[in-house]
Amino acid sequence: MNVNGTARMLFTAEEYAARLAAVRLRMAEQGLSALLVTDPANIYYLTGYNAWSFYTPQLVFVPAEGDMILFSRQMDASGAFRTSWLPPECIVGYPESYVHRPHIHPFDWVAFALRERHLIAPAAKGCVGLEMDSHFFAPKAYRALVNAIPEWTLVDSFELVNWVRSIKSPAEIQLMHKAAVITNNAMAAAEQAIRPGARKCDIAAAITEAQIRGTEEFGGDYTAIVPLLPTGESADTPHLTWSEDRLKDDEPVVVELAGAYQRYHVPLNRTFSLGEPSAELSRLADATGEGLNAMLDVIRADVPVREVAAVWNRTIFEYGYEKDSRLGYSIGVGFPPDWGERTISIRSEEESVLAENMTFHLICGMWMDNYGYGLSESIRVTATGVETFTTYKRGLLPINS
Amino acid sequence: MNVNGTARMLFTAEEYAARLAAVRLRMAEQGLSALLVTDPANIYYLTGYNAWSFYTPQLVFVPAEGDMILFSRQMDASGAFRTSWLPPECIVGYPESYVHRPHIHPFDWVAFALRERHLIAPAAKGCVGLEMDSHFFAPKAYRALVNAIPEWTLVDSFELVNWVRSIKSPAEIQLMHKAAVITNNAMAAAEQAIRPGARKCDIAAAITEAQIRGTEEFGGDYTAIVPLLPTGESADTPHLTWSEDRLKDDEPVVVELAGAYQRYHVPLNRTFSLGEPSAELSRLADATGEGLNAMLDVIRADVPVREVAAVWNRTIFEYGYEKDSRLGYSIGVGFPPDWGERTISIRSEEESVLAENMTFHLICGMWMDNYGYGLSESIRVTATGVETFTTYKRGLLPINS
């Protein structure tokens, strides 16, 4: 906390100003005279506000001109200055009596507070954008706004702030490099813990310990997704969490995890093999590795994203494989339940074009019938090619027990 | 996985049948001919389905009669049988091409799939309930349903399934007892790690490691909320996560954590004191402890919840304190971002009455200006009184370094 009673800024005031300016430019392009931001990652990106408070409704009011205002539950608003740089008068708490009540909603109160501040009419000049597909904005919250502010024409802002986030600043890239060190350590902790007979929960515990402890120089943050550990036959599906079962002597273990630093994520997927891998798994691993290499070879600024998917498809098709699901997604700030930015996906239908300092998790998850293989790299697009955030060895990694 | 290719059931078939029957009874009372369940905790409660897949849309269709159907992303549906006991024909995956697209939504596809199965018309006889305030049901998903199924009269089901969950079965209580052992171990790990100069991330790492490793007999699950560690002045706000800062020689550390087993949570809040606590903090701790005791004394089946809040208010008022926020909430199954059930809150406005085998986190969080104190117990309501899940010592706990 600095002398003004506001938080230490993680980024410079200029960087936050540039983010807001970029958001306002898009708002103007989309005809929005105001935007209500409810995605915790977007709130963090614009205001620095960072707390586990997103399980009760909160939003940032972003007018075309004038101050942003953060609305959250009173008990959270009173401490918000500890992480957000917004001045105290721009952090407003709604009363506790609005929490978890069937017939009223905190945004009833927020609407009144906006009205009291004479902020309804200026925003009614254009449309007001809502993040209609964000995780912590429920239909009940939406209807509260519709009912309480009839003057506003509410429209989907789509992933407006998320798109601004898709190109990283040098300061953000630095944070991701720190996250990558943690990623590397966490994957090494997984490799260390994977042994025949090891309980899956013990592997997850070792990974999480490494993720949160971080390094001697800097501490780790919680990740938006817990370590995922599909093993053996259950490696045919990607999102199972661990159990207390023990690893068999002879099964592959697919590990997907991330390192996080100051909410910036660098994910990584590797597959470890206990015992002798089957011929079909080895063949799948080879094809997947080639597919990833082919993508890395083609990535650079100005390449259409769908070309990246195309080289993957061509490469694995030669092995007789096909993959329906996407090959990666934009990454950066993440809050549970997702470390993806919900904007660019690496797939043939994607219409966007790669730009310098976009960052992706390129994930080649191959979920077959009763077996599977996973391999990924988190990368930064450069003017001339690609930088991988980690250098963890690839391939089907044998565990020598 | 059993011989039928479906998951090992965590509860008996009879228990799952009883849950569904209780849900359908409430549906009939609320005039619902079908219910769409989107809350991952409710999906788990009814079907056993458990995976980190709730960041893309999913729902369970619960008709008044006939089979439940789980809809999720294709890659998740194909592995859902590993945790859900639903038969394969009742688990349906939507195509990958519907994921994270601005102009279409997975529920467009789900609506078509319901139509194809002739399930729209029967449900149109009454109203169809939606969980309008659940975390992973976005306004965009809601509007997709409104547009795609004009035959349906959609109404808020409120927390219908959550209310069924509020009274626990003996089997659920057993799982919570296992979670409580982990809670105790995790709090002991915190106590062990809290030392002058310790980094907060290292304390959080030690807690998380204990949470996930569990015991030698059974493994731990991930918790719906990460460990919360407000310290010193920042203990005036409850939901800050850790930083890489080091503990001072002389500050209180408020720890809120849970143990989780098979998604059942038992939370606990304790305050540790480094160095000599201030007189005002000691006084606050005494008052809070008395307030908690007063609540524990009055809790038993058939007592109105607001009476529990009333004895707290009277007790701490004698010390000159007041607390605006609620004193607890119903607990059980939890998925991020919340381990509360969003039904009963311990507060003066609450209208419900305690019943045997309701379970609560009684949390006395006192957030003052620049200091704070936290104390809690997770409890089960019995016919004659109360059972606390853990036996961790209370009070302002000194750390002897």
Side-chain angles (χ1 to χ4, degrees):
Chain A
M1 200 173 69
N2 69 20
V3 285
N4 299 317
T6 54
R8 293 178 295 205
M9 274 187 173
L10 184 58
F11 301 96
T12 61
E14 292 68 33
E15 180 152 350
Y16 281 114
R19 292 174 179 188
L20 181 56
V23 164
R24 284 180 164 155
L25 187 63
R26 279 186 178 261
M27 284 169 57
E29 286 166 1
Q30 294 182 211
L32 304 180
S33 47
L35 175 66
L36 302 185
V37 177
T38 44
D39 179 332
N42 291 340
I43 291 176
Y44 175 70
Y45 183 77
L46 289 175
T47 73
Y49 179 60
N50 181 10
W52 194 284
S53 60
F54 39 90
Y55 67 93
T56 49
Q58 50 189 27
L59 66 77
V60 172
F61 173 73
V62 185
E65 291 172 7
D67 291 335
M68 294 190 283
I69 305 180
L70 168 63
F71 292 95
S72 69
R73 186 179 180 184
Q74 180 55 53
M75 66 168 73
D76 297 314
S78 64
F81 71 92
R82 297 197 181 279
T83 52
S84 171
W85 55 265
L86 291 181
E89 64 274 19
C90 293
I91 300 173
V92 180
Y94 57 78
E96 184 67 16
S97 55
Y98 282 79
V99 174
H100 291 174
R101 304 293 293 274
H103 307 297
I104 54 175
H105 190 276
F107 288 178
D108 299 334
W109 191 95
V110 167
F112 186 77
L114 286 169
R115 197 172 291 283
E116 229 179 14
R117 286 167 175 73
H118 308 291
L119 294 167
I120 301 285
K125 287 176 189 158
C127 293
V128 174
L130 301 178
E131 296 177 322
M132 294 294 280
D133 202 21
S134 92
H135 283 121
F136 302 105
F137 181 43
K140 188 171 182 169
Y142 166 63
R143 295 217 300 201
L145 294 171
V146 168
N147 292 334
I149 318 181
E151 299 96 318
W152 280 359
T153 304
L154 297 167
V155 297
D156 195 346
S157 61
F158 299 98
E159 281 62 43
L160 190 157
V161 181
N162 308 55
W163 278 101
V164 171
R165 285 162 50 199
S166 65
I167 296 184
K168 270 68 188 173
S169 71
E172 290 182 288
I173 300 287
Q174 270 189 2
L175 296 179
M176 291 180 75
H177 278 294
K178 286 183 160 182
V181 176
I182 298 173
T183 307
N184 191 80
N185 292 354
M187 191 60 83
E191 183 161 5
Q192 195 77 29
I194 292 172
R195 288 291 172 269
R199 296 190 310 174
K200 295 177 191 176
C201 56
D202 292 337
I203 302 168
I207 293 170
T208 312
E209 206 274 349
Q211 286 171 322
I212 299 180
R213 190 173 297 280
T215 73
E216 295 206 356
E217 289 74 39
F218 52 89
D221 205 345
Y222 63 89
T223 53
I225 306 179
V226 294
L228 298 171
L229 288 178
T231 63
E233 293 193 352
S234 71
D236 63 358
T237 188
H239 296 126
L240 286 185
T241 53
W242 62 86
S243 67
E244 58 202 20
D245 293 345
R246 290 179 185 279
L247 291 182
K248 298 186 191 119
D249 290 350
D250 189 9
E251 66 179 343
V253 182
V254 183
V255 177
E256 185 175 352
L257 55 76
Y261 184 69
Q262 304 278 15
R263 309 297 332 125
Y264 283 81
H265 285 68
V266 170
L268 193 66
N269 190 194
R270 285 292 181 271
T271 303
F272 299 95
S273 172
L274 289 173
E276 194 60 37
S278 69
E280 65 181 355
L281 180 59
S282 297
R283 193 163 171 279
L284 180 63
D286 289 345
T288 309
E290 271 200 43
L292 177 61
N293 284 336
M295 289 199 285
L296 291 169
D297 283 346
V298 79
I299 290 174
R300 61 172 167 70
D302 303 325
V303 168
V305 172
R306 61 175 166 270
E307 283 190 22
V308 181
V311 298
W312 160 271
N313 287 334
R314 271 200 303 275
T315 308
I316 66 158
F317 192 72
E318 283 174 27
Y319 281 83
Y321 298 113
E322 272 185 275
K323 176 172 160 64
D324 288 338
S325 49
R326 59 188 176 164
L327 292 151
Y329 45 80
S330 190
I331 51 169
V333 173
F335 281 81
D338 195 4
W339 55 49
E341 289 183 336
R342 299 188 289 111
T343 47
I344 307 167
S345 290
I346 314 276
R347 54 184 165 193
S348 358
E349 308 95 321
E350 180 66 40
E351 291 174 10
S352 56
V353 173
L354 295 175
E356 191 172 359
N357 288 333
M358 283 184 174
T359 52
F360 294 96
H361 185 210
L362 293 182
I363 177 156
C364 311
M366 299 296 284
W367 305 289
M368 319 304 278
D369 282 341
N370 293 316
Y371 73 110
Y373 180 75
L375 177 70
S376 81
E377 290 294 343
S378 282
I379 59 119
R380 177 174 77 90
V381 178
T382 69
T384 56
V386 67
E387 174 194 34
T388 61
F389 278 104
T390 62
T391 55
Y392 214 87
K393 56 191 176 297
R394 296 187 202 147
L396 185 53
L397 303 173
I399 297 285
N400 301 311
S401 52
Chain B
M1 201 174 67
N2 69 22
V3 284
N4 299 317
T6 53
R8 291 178 295 206
M9 275 188 170
L10 183 58
F11 301 96
T12 62
E14 292 68 35
E15 180 152 350
Y16 282 115
R19 293 175 179 187
L20 180 56
V23 165
R24 284 181 164 154
L25 187 64
R26 278 186 180 260
M27 283 168 59
E29 288 167 1
Q30 292 181 213
L32 303 180
S33 48
L35 175 67
L36 302 184
V37 177
T38 44
D39 180 330
N42 292 340
I43 291 176
Y44 174 71
Y45 183 76
L46 290 175
T47 73
Y49 179 61
N50 181 10
W52 195 283
S53 60
F54 41 89
Y55 67 94
T56 49
Q58 50 189 27
L59 67 78
V60 172
F61 173 72
V62 185
E65 290 172 9
D67 291 336
M68 294 190 284
I69 305 180
L70 168 63
F71 292 95
S72 70
R73 187 179 179 184
Q74 180 56 53
M75 67 168 71
D76 297 314
S78 64
F81 71 93
R82 298 196 180 279
T83 52
S84 171
W85 56 265
L86 291 182
E89 65 274 18
C90 293
I91 300 174
V92 180
Y94 58 77
E96 184 68 15
S97 55
Y98 283 79
V99 174
H100 291 173
R101 304 292 293 276
H103 307 297
I104 54 175
H105 190 275
F107 288 177
D108 299 334
W109 191 96
V110 168
F112 186 77
L114 287 169
R115 197 172 290 284
E116 229 178 12
R117 285 167 176 74
H118 309 291
L119 294 167
I120 300 286
K125 287 177 188 156
C127 294
V128 174
L130 300 178
E131 296 178 322
M132 295 292 281
D133 202 20
S134 92
H135 282 121
F136 301 105
F137 181 43
K140 186 170 183 172
Y142 166 64
R143 295 216 301 199
L145 294 171
V146 169
N147 293 335
I149 318 182
E151 299 96 317
W152 280 0
T153 305
L154 297 166
V155 296
D156 195 345
S157 62
F158 299 98
E159 282 63 41
L160 191 157
V161 181
N162 308 55
W163 278 101
V164 171
R165 286 163 49 200
S166 66
I167 296 185
K168 270 68 186 173
S169 72
E172 289 182 288
I173 300 287
Q174 271 189 3
L175 297 180
M176 291 180 75
H177 278 295
K178 285 183 159 181
V181 176
I182 298 172
T183 308
N184 191 81
N185 292 354
M187 191 60 83
E191 183 161 4
Q192 195 78 26
I194 293 171
R195 288 288 173 272
R199 296 190 309 174
K200 294 177 191 176
C201 56
D202 292 337
I203 301 168
I207 293 170
T208 312
E209 206 275 347
Q211 286 172 323
I212 298 180
R213 192 174 294 279
T215 73
E216 296 206 358
E217 291 73 38
F218 52 89
D221 205 346
Y222 63 89
T223 53
I225 307 178
V226 294
L228 298 170
L229 289 178
T231 62
E233 291 193 353
S234 72
D236 62 357
T237 188
H239 297 126
L240 286 185
T241 54
W242 61 86
S243 66
E244 58 202 19
D245 293 344
R246 291 179 184 280
L247 292 182
K248 298 184 192 124
D249 291 351
D250 188 10
E251 66 180 341
V253 182
V254 182
V255 178
E256 185 176 353
L257 56 76
Y261 183 69
Q262 305 277 14
R263 310 297 332 123
Y264 282 81
H265 285 69
V266 169
L268 193 66
N269 190 192
R270 286 291 182 271
T271 304
F272 299 95
S273 171
L274 289 174
E276 195 60 40
S278 69
E280 63 181 356
L281 179 59
S282 297
R283 193 162 172 281
L284 180 64
D286 290 344
T288 308
E290 272 201 44
L292 177 60
N293 284 337
M295 289 199 285
L296 291 169
D297 283 346
V298 80
I299 289 174
R300 62 172 167 72
D302 304 325
V303 168
V305 172
R306 60 174 167 272
E307 283 189 22
V308 181
V311 297
W312 160 272
N313 287 334
R314 273 200 303 275
T315 309
I316 64 158
F317 192 73
E318 282 172 28
Y319 281 82
Y321 298 113
E322 271 185 278
K323 175 172 161 64
D324 287 338
S325 50
R326 59 189 177 163
L327 292 150
Y329 44 81
S330 191
I331 51 169
V333 173
F335 281 81
D338 195 5
W339 55 48
E341 290 183 333
R342 299 188 289 112
T343 47
I344 307 167
S345 290
I346 314 275
R347 53 184 165 193
S348 0
E349 307 96 320
E350 179 66 39
E351 290 175 10
S352 55
V353 173
L354 295 175
E356 191 172 358
N357 289 334
M358 282 183 173
T359 51
F360 294 95
H361 185 210
L362 294 181
I363 177 155
C364 312
M366 300 296 285
W367 305 290
M368 318 303 279
D369 282 341
N370 293 316
Y371 74 110
Y373 180 76
L375 177 70
S376 81
E377 290 295 344
S378 283
I379 61 120
R380 177 173 77 88
V381 178
T382 69
T384 56
V386 67
E387 175 194 33
T388 60
F389 278 104
T390 61
T391 55
Y392 214 88
K393 56 192 177 295
R394 297 188 201 145
L396 184 54
L397 303 173
I399 297 285
N400 302 311
S401 51

